[in-house]
């Protein structure tokens, strides 16, 4: 079974430029998450989708960040314009849902962003 | 709101020695508890979890963690570590109710096992 796929793995951009990250979750996983991981910190939730609906985006900085999950499968996270402080690893995760699987997230390898 | 504190950022240990990685949490509501592990150049993966029932939970590779409600702790232990256990370990909580599945992570503990 294929895992969560993220691209690109690495991205270097100048500040004020736009950047986009793509995530393909595990087949059949209705729940998709985007997390932000700063150096030396644990992951922090940005947004959670249930199918194509963003059910929790309270931590997403909406002035420059946007996300979409068209058709309830893969997802894109965009930053426009990027700032120096956005340098971090952007993690995508998917989950089969609730019940006994609560909290069982399957993470991709992450997209490491460097803003110069 | 919930928060997770991992008291040690780095834990060096020799192979075959025991290890304990400490985790304390704060929450005004009941929570589920998790340990995730990140091996070098890999994504985070679930190591073990506590949802309910027995307070002692075990992983398939010899780790165990015990939920202590009075001390709000969920420390991770292994009686004898291997070189292959070298990784970063993250403690996480998820609240009961509508936001379950939204994990709140600690800052992580880097376990370095030396020969």
């Amino acid at each position: 079974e294929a895992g969560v796929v993220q691209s690109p793995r690495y991205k270097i951009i100048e500040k004020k430029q736009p950047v986009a990250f793509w995530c393909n979750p595990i087949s059949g996983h209705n729940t998709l998450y985007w997390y932000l991981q700063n150096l030396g910190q644990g992951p922090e939730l940005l947004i959670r989708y249930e199918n194509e609906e963003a059910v929790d985006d309270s931590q997403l900085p909406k002035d420059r960040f946007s996300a979409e999950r068209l058709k309830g499968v893969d997802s894109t996270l965009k930053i426009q314009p990027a700032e120096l402080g956005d340098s971090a690893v952007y993690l995508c995760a998917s989950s089969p849902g609730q019940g006994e699987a609560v909290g069982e997230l399957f993470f991709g390898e992450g997209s490491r962003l460097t803003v110069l | 709101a919930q928060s997770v504190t991992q008291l040690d950022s780095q834990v060096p240990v020799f192979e075959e020695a025991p290890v304990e990685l400490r985790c304390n949490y704060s929450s005004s509501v009941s929570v589920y508890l998790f340990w995730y592990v990140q091996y070098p150049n890999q994504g985070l993966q679930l190591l073990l979890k506590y949802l309910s029932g027995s307070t002692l939970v075990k992983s398939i590779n010899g780790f165990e963690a015990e939920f202590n409600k009075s001390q709000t702790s969920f420390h991770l232990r292994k009686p004898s570590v291997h070189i292959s256990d070298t990784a970063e370990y993250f403690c996480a909580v998820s609240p009961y109710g509508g936001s379950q599945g939204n994990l709140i992570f600690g800052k992580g503990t880097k376990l370095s096992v030396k020969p």
Side-chain angles (χ1 to χ4, degrees):
Chain A
E1 179 183 86
V4 176
V5 179
Q6 291 188 246
S7 69
R9 288 292 313 281
Y10 304 93
K11 188 73 175 180
I12 300 174
I13 61 172
E14 300 280 338
K15 63 181 180 181
K16 300 185 181 179
Q17 294 300 306
V19 63
F21 305 111
W22 174 81
C23 172
N24 186 252
I26 292 173
S27 177
H29 283 191
N30 296 327
T31 307
L32 183 146
Y33 306 80
W34 283 101
Y35 278 83
L36 164 69
Q37 186 173 19
N38 287 302
L39 187 65
Q41 304 293 316
E44 300 172 28
L45 180 68
L46 289 173
I47 189 168
R48 178 175 123 237
Y49 282 93
E50 296 290 345
N51 299 302
E52 64 273 13
E53 182 183 359
V55 297
D56 188 344
D57 63 355
S58 57
Q59 302 302 312
L60 189 72
K62 299 181 182 63
D63 56 337
R64 296 183 301 107
F65 286 66
S66 64
E68 61 182 11
R69 191 184 183 196
L70 300 176
K71 301 181 181 179
V73 181
D74 55 350
S75 176
T76 303
L77 177 69
K78 298 179 181 178
I79 308 174
Q80 183 170 13
E83 297 179 352
L84 293 176
D86 296 331
S87 294
V89 178
Y90 293 83
L91 300 171
C92 180
S94 67
S95 172
Q98 305 302 312
E100 286 298 308
V102 64
E104 289 188 26
L105 274 57
F106 294 78
F107 284 85
E109 294 181 320
S111 294
R112 182 179 296 276
L113 174 66
T114 301
V115 182
L116 303 176
Chain B
Q2 295 78 40
S3 66
V4 177
T5 301
Q6 291 185 244
L7 297 167
D8 305 298
S9 59
Q10 297 188 56
V11 173
V13 64
F14 287 105
E15 193 173 19
E16 298 184 5
V19 70
E20 178 180 80
L21 307 183
R22 296 178 290 171
C23 172
N24 288 88
Y25 70 93
S26 172
S27 177
S28 57
V29 300
S30 296
V31 295
Y32 302 115
L33 296 150
F34 308 86
W35 277 98
Y36 275 77
V37 59
Q38 187 169 28
Y39 297 103
N41 300 314
Q42 295 186 28
L44 282 155
Q45 53 188 280
L46 180 66
L47 182 63
L48 48 73
K49 64 181 180 181
Y50 171 78
L51 301 184
S52 64
S54 173
T55 57
L56 182 66
V57 291
K58 300 183 179 184
S59 73
I60 59 173
N61 60 348
F63 282 93
E64 63 181 35
E66 186 159 20
F67 169 50
N68 187 318
K69 188 174 182 178
S70 62
Q71 297 188 4
T72 60
S73 68
F74 191 55
H75 301 331
L76 183 69
R77 302 183 181 94
K78 189 171 186 179
S80 176
V81 294
H82 302 288
I83 297 288
S84 60
D85 293 323
T86 294
E88 189 159 20
Y89 292 79
F90 292 89
C91 182
V93 302
S94 174
Y96 286 15
S99 296
Q100 59 183 301
N102 290 4
L103 298 179
I104 296 96
F105 286 89
K107 293 184 177 181
T109 298
K110 291 183 179 178
L111 175 64
S112 176
V113 182
K114 304 177 180 181

